[in-house]
Amino acid sequence: MAKVKYHYDPETLSYRKIERKKGKTVTYGFIFLLASSLFGFLFVFIASQYIQSPRERALKRELSNMELQYQLLNKRVDNAFAALESVEERDNSIYRLYFEANPIPQEQRRAGFGGVNRYKKYEGYDNSELIIESNKRLDKLQKAVVVQSRSLDEIAVLAEDKEKFLSSIPAIQPVRNKDLKRMASGYGYRTDPFTKVRKFHFGMDFTSPRGTPVYATGDGVVIRADNNATGYGNHIRIDHGYGYMSLYAHLYKYEVRSNQKVKRGDLIGYVGSTGRSEAPHLHYEIFKDEERINPINFYYGNLTAEEYARLLQKASLENQSLD
């Protein structure tokens, strides 16, 4: 119940009831509502700045978690780059160097992407810079991995070819040391056993008993196994590829035929004294690009350093050859 207010009139010495006009009541009511609304708006505004709703708190937690995940992702990218750089260093300074391939420059390994802006779709967000930078680094890492993968594919091909080359070139002695009587004559000027004239001897003579096994000195294909060459008697020629060919002369008999593939160390024939020969021995020659070269440089596959030194000393003596 509203309070009734009175006004004291000193002239009449009496109290008169105060009557509020309806217009003022409406005005006061409007002012009250306006003040209340303004106060309520200010309260909500201030509260929104300092008090978060459950949804806002959830979104903020989600955003913080995403920022943490991006930071962890960048850390993992850093570790991946570090590991990749180690592989790239070995690739340039060891693998590619060993197989005589040009190193890949760092500019090529870390090249970016030109042309269209690939990251425009990430612009306009609160964390656009973080997202764009992370995607740039991931793209660079992916491209660097592709470059390195292609380099390793190239190295694998070169290694396979290198392995084939190393197994093909003549690299062992055609007669085992235990089967040798002596290394009779080397590459160079020697005395001809028949004419006694000093002339150039294009191979090495290994003195062994008739029937001593003779072995292929490298992988290849037999291109001749016959006695149709003057002076060589029964002989074998093996094409090793890469411009190399080996010849085994004065054989007693063959164990291979023309067009047969052989591996280093395979038995191909036996020592004899056929053709222009003074005594049982193996005459051995090596050709490179159809030119005869000194076989003494091709025994690293089955001789120790001491054995090679002794062989080198004997081969350098200018004596009489056996063919």
Side-chain angles (χ1 to χ4, degrees), residues 1-249:
M1 178 176 165
K3 294 181 180 181
V4 180
K5 295 183 179 181
Y6 295 89
H7 174 70
Y8 178 70
D9 189 351
E11 293 182 359
T12 61
L13 301 176
S14 62
Y15 288 94
R16 183 168 53 85
K17 186 178 180 180
I18 300 175
E19 297 289 344
R20 178 176 295 177
K21 295 180 180 180
K22 291 183 178 181
K24 288 186 176 181
T25 301
V26 173
T27 301
Y28 291 150
F30 177 76
I31 293 173
F32 175 78
L33 291 175
L34 182 62
S36 298
S37 299
L38 182 60
F39 178 77
F41 175 76
L42 289 174
F43 178 80
V44 171
F45 176 76
I46 293 172
S48 66
Q49 300 300 313
Y50 298 99
I51 302 175
Q52 295 178 341
S53 67
R55 177 174 173 76
E56 287 175 330
R57 286 195 294 269
L59 290 174
K60 188 173 182 180
R61 284 196 300 269
E62 184 177 351
L63 181 60
S64 298
N65 182 59
M66 289 180 63
E67 290 178 348
L68 176 62
Q69 293 302 319
Y70 271 111
Q71 290 172 0
L72 293 175
L73 177 62
N74 279 324
K75 184 66 175 177
R76 293 174 64 183
V77 172
D78 288 339
N79 293 337
F81 265 120
L84 182 61
E85 286 172 359
S86 177
V87 175
E88 290 172 343
E89 175 65 23
R90 292 197 300 271
D91 184 41
N92 273 349
S93 60
I94 300 177
Y95 310 142
R96 301 186 69 81
L97 186 63
Y98 178 77
F99 292 108
E100 300 176 353
N102 292 327
I104 300 176
Q106 192 70 5
E107 296 77 16
Q108 182 178 341
R109 293 183 182 274
R110 294 292 182 270
F113 299 88
V116 181
N117 183 5
R118 300 163 55 92
Y119 312 103
K120 189 174 182 61
K121 60 184 177 181
Y122 301 121
E123 296 176 353
Y125 299 98
D126 292 339
N127 295 284
S128 292
E129 185 177 348
L130 176 63
I131 297 171
I132 291 174
E133 184 61 26
S134 297
N135 277 275
K136 282 183 178 179
R137 300 188 71 213
L138 282 173
D139 286 343
K140 286 183 178 180
L141 177 62
Q142 184 179 17
K143 185 172 183 179
V145 169
V146 170
V147 172
Q148 183 58 52
S149 177
R150 290 175 179 172
S151 176
L152 292 177
D153 289 343
E154 181 185 357
I155 292 300
V157 173
L158 293 173
E160 183 178 352
D161 190 61
K162 188 83 167 183
E163 183 179 7
K164 183 180 178 182
F165 169 73
L166 292 175
S167 63
S168 296
I169 60 174
I172 65 172
Q173 197 169 271
V175 179
R176 292 174 179 167
N177 270 345
K178 68 182 184 65
D179 297 327
L180 287 178
K181 286 185 176 179
R182 64 189 178 95
M183 210 288 293
S185 182
Y187 181 92
Y189 281 99
R190 301 291 183 268
T191 301
D192 185 281
F194 300 100
T195 64
K196 306 304 180 182
V197 175
R198 185 174 179 267
K199 70 175 186 178
F200 203 92
H201 186 245
F202 287 100
M204 296 185 72
D205 292 341
F206 297 92
T207 303
S208 296
R210 182 174 181 268
T212 298
V214 176
Y215 302 95
T217 56
D219 297 358
V221 177
V222 177
I223 56 174
R224 289 185 66 171
D226 55 46
N227 61 356
N228 296 328
T230 304
Y232 287 130
N234 296 333
H235 75 289
I236 295 170
R237 302 186 193 210
I238 298 176
D239 183 2
H240 301 281
Y242 306 96
Y244 287 95
M245 185 187 73
S246 57
L247 180 149
Y248 314 77

